Amino acid sequence: MQNLEIVKDVFNVGYIDWEVRNFHGYSTHKGSSYNAYIVKSGNKTILIDTVKRPYFNYFLKNIKAVCDPKEINYFIMNHVEPDHSGSFPLIVPHLPNAEIIASVKGVEILEQHYHEELEGDVFKKIRAVGEGDNLDVGNGKKFSFIPIPMIHWPDSMVSFMSDENGKNVLFSNDAFGQHIATSKFWDDENILSEIFEQAAKYYANILLHLSKLIAKTLPVVGTLPIDVICPSHGVGWRSHIPDIVEAYTKWSSGEIDQHSVLIVYDTMWESTAKIAKALYQEIFSRGILVKRFRLTEMDYSDVITEAMKARAILVGSPTLNMGLYPTVAEYLSYQKGLKPMNKIGLAFGSYGWSKGAVKAIIEELKATKFDVMDETIEIKFVPRLEQLDFKDIVDKLIEKMEKGA
Ligand code: FEO
């Protein structure tokens, strides 16, 4: 059995998921992990969160490697989404002496999830905690509970453990997580650029639309004397806490490089691709950071990560059945839900005998609160060389970018 102790008296009893490649529609090219923790404090033992249900046996084996489950006195559930609570009904019978603790919403949502599997009494006995509630577990260790509603669900909370004799640990659940499988737990034991890229992708796909709430919550978390952060996905933070907090501050405020462009499109018979490539070339020639992705070749979760970082997003689609190409329609719908902030939008596309795609793109971008340019590019069938001269429109785009968000 590997050594599960990550900080003195803190053990990771979760599961590293090397296989998962899709997390409710989000591509997880690097796998993930469902971290759950045990803290030992004198004669008290505390379990924090569980793992996705298919990995219950592994989770139980890890717990038993650390303690007898009957010795567990407190079982803290920070969040009810099934990647963290899936094993809840299975582990509860192994914990006859544990008091369960969750946020007020957490108690409600646990019952709404697991009423078929557990007696109603189990839910009635859960201790509901809120802002300012503490749990002194002796030996210098004390937990404080901080609700962080909507980061990621209404029930979400973080648990901060102060330790007079050791490290202060923030058990942050989804916050500061990344979908990545790695046998090394800490940030400084992994390739940092890869960890930050996965943290950005996680933020873009899970948290981006909650940015206003996150911006309000971050200062509260920032006041805590944190030594290490133990999230529920991916690596823990001990050497780069200010960096990940700064990244969250930037992402949640919509701060972006003013000169960065994303071109996202799809194409039926290459006409829209020709427009996309000509736009790319013109922007590239101005020395501006520009990226170009065809939706058939990229999944939405990677593209939205780029969208979060870009100032301008140029969207192209051929007209199909008087409307959008399906991949573009799906992307725009996904983007609308995640609400990237401070974006300039431009619509382009090709058509045959009737238009429709460009109008539909504009509607979707406006519904996503983009600052949509009045200029559009609509070209019938195959573009002629002179139609692919985009100097003027790129001038206007740059002018708009320079005005700032
Ligand atoms: Fe990782 Fe919102 O669950």
Side-chain angles (χ1 to χ4, degrees):
M1 175 61 71
Q2 76 211 77
N3 181 12
L4 302 175
E5 192 170 30
I6 48 170
V7 169
K8 190 175 176 313
D9 297 331
V10 179
F11 303 81
N12 183 1
V13 291
Y15 179 76
I16 303 167
D17 189 347
W18 289 92
E19 282 81 26
V20 65
R21 288 295 176 270
N22 187 306
F23 186 91
H24 60 50
Y26 165 159
S27 66
T28 47
H29 307 302
K30 303 278 183 181
S32 189
S33 68
Y34 318 107
N35 304 335
Y37 301 96
I38 283 191
V39 174
K40 288 188 174 180
S41 183
N43 60 356
K44 299 287 184 206
T45 305
I46 303 98
L47 171 64
I48 302 161
D49 294 328
T50 83
V51 302
K52 218 170 170 180
R53 182 167 298 206
Y55 310 114
F56 170 71
N57 286 340
Y58 191 94
F59 171 57
L60 183 59
K61 196 167 128 199
N62 278 347
I63 293 173
K64 285 182 174 171
V66 173
C67 67
D68 177 347
K70 292 191 183 71
E71 292 169 5
I72 293 174
N73 307 93
Y74 300 104
F75 174 22
I76 299 169
M77 283 298 303
N78 278 323
H79 179 29
V80 184
E81 192 167 9
D83 49 330
H84 308 297
S85 76
S87 293
F88 178 81
L90 307 183
I91 195 66
V92 163
H94 293 266
L95 311 176
N97 300 311
E99 180 180 18
I100 305 169
I101 296 171
S103 68
V104 176
K105 273 281 170 198
V107 178
E108 200 179 296
I109 298 178
L110 275 167
E111 194 279 334
Q112 286 161 352
H113 272 73
Y114 300 114
H115 53 87
E116 291 175 324
E117 296 172 83
L118 293 170
E119 298 294 328
D121 266 6
V122 170
F123 306 106
K124 285 187 193 135
K125 286 183 190 160
I126 299 176
R127 190 200 301 191
V129 290
E131 185 78 53
D133 286 334
N134 297 305
L135 174 72
D136 192 334
V137 291
N139 226 28
K141 291 187 176 68
K142 191 162 103 178
F143 284 84
S144 311
F145 304 105
I146 305 163
I148 49 165
M150 297 316 297
I151 310 172
H152 165 222
W153 277 14
D155 63 291
S156 296
M157 69 174 188
V158 297
S159 300
F160 175 66
M161 182 186 78
S162 58
D163 186 353
E164 288 169 11
N165 309 307
K167 301 275 188 201
N168 296 334
V169 183
L170 180 70
F171 296 97
S172 63
N173 201 268
D174 278 341
F176 309 117
Q178 332 89 49
H179 281 310
I180 189 164
T182 167
S183 62
K184 292 286 187 181
F185 182 76
W186 293 109
D187 49 359
D188 53 42
E189 298 176 311
N190 288 275
I191 298 166
L192 203 58
S193 57
E194 193 171 57
I195 299 305
F196 269 94
E197 188 53 34
Q198 291 308 320
K201 181 170 178 178
Y202 189 92
Y203 190 96
N205 283 275
I206 304 274
L207 301 174
L208 184 57
H209 64 120
L210 308 166
S211 286
K212 285 191 178 132
L213 282 167
I214 291 168
K216 276 190 202 157
T217 306
L218 269 177
V220 179
V221 173
T223 59
L224 300 171
I226 299 166
D227 291 317
V228 301
I229 298 178
C230 291
S232 291
H233 298 290
V235 306
W237 303 93
R238 68 178 176 189
S239 296
H240 297 277
I241 293 173
D243 301 325
I244 187 65
V245 171
E246 188 186 330
Y248 263 58
T249 304
K250 187 174 158 184
W251 297 329
S252 63
S253 66
E255 186 188 323
I256 35 182
D257 177 354
Q258 290 299 331
H259 289 88
S260 54
V261 179
L262 171 68
I263 301 172
V264 52
Y265 71 102
D266 216 329
T267 194
M268 200 175 348
W269 296 110
E270 293 301 311
S271 291
T272 303
K274 283 183 174 148
I275 304 170
K277 287 174 186 174
L279 274 168
Y280 171 85
Q281 204 53 42
E282 185 59 38
I283 298 165
F284 176 80
S285 73
R286 312 293 183 98
I288 288 169
L289 177 65
V290 53
K291 297 184 182 182
R292 174 171 62 80
F293 297 113
R294 181 180 171 190
L295 284 165
T296 300
E297 313 299 340
M298 284 280 283
D299 67 68
Y300 308 142
S301 27
D302 287 323
V303 178
I304 197 71
T305 310
E306 297 295 340
M308 177 175 79
K309 300 175 199 164
R311 171 73 176 109
I313 302 176
L314 321 188
V315 181
S317 172
T319 291
L320 177 67
N321 304 329
M322 299 175 72
L324 292 167
Y325 199 72
T327 52
V328 181
E330 285 179 68
Y331 173 71
L332 287 172
S333 166
Y334 191 62
Q335 180 176 263
K336 187 165 62 182
L338 287 165
K339 303 183 177 71
M341 293 175 286
N342 303 332
K343 306 298 176 194
I344 294 167
L346 172 75
F348 66 93
S350 60
Y351 66 98
W353 50 98
S354 63
K355 296 182 181 178
V358 164
K359 182 168 174 274
I361 292 169
I362 291 168
E363 281 167 9
E364 287 293 297
L365 295 182
K366 285 190 172 165
T368 316
K369 309 236 177 328
F370 278 33
D371 181 2
V372 182
M373 290 177 67
D374 294 333
E375 295 78 9
T376 58
I377 303 167
E378 272 185 300
I379 298 178
K380 187 165 181 150
F381 285 121
V382 179
R384 296 169 198 280
L385 198 56
E386 62 273 19
Q387 291 176 296
L388 294 175
D389 178 349
F390 296 131
K391 285 190 189 68
D392 289 348
I393 206 162
V394 169
D395 280 345
K396 289 196 171 108
L397 174 66
I398 292 170
E399 196 182 314
K400 213 169 176 54
M401 289 198 292
E402 286 179 347
K403 277 188 189 150

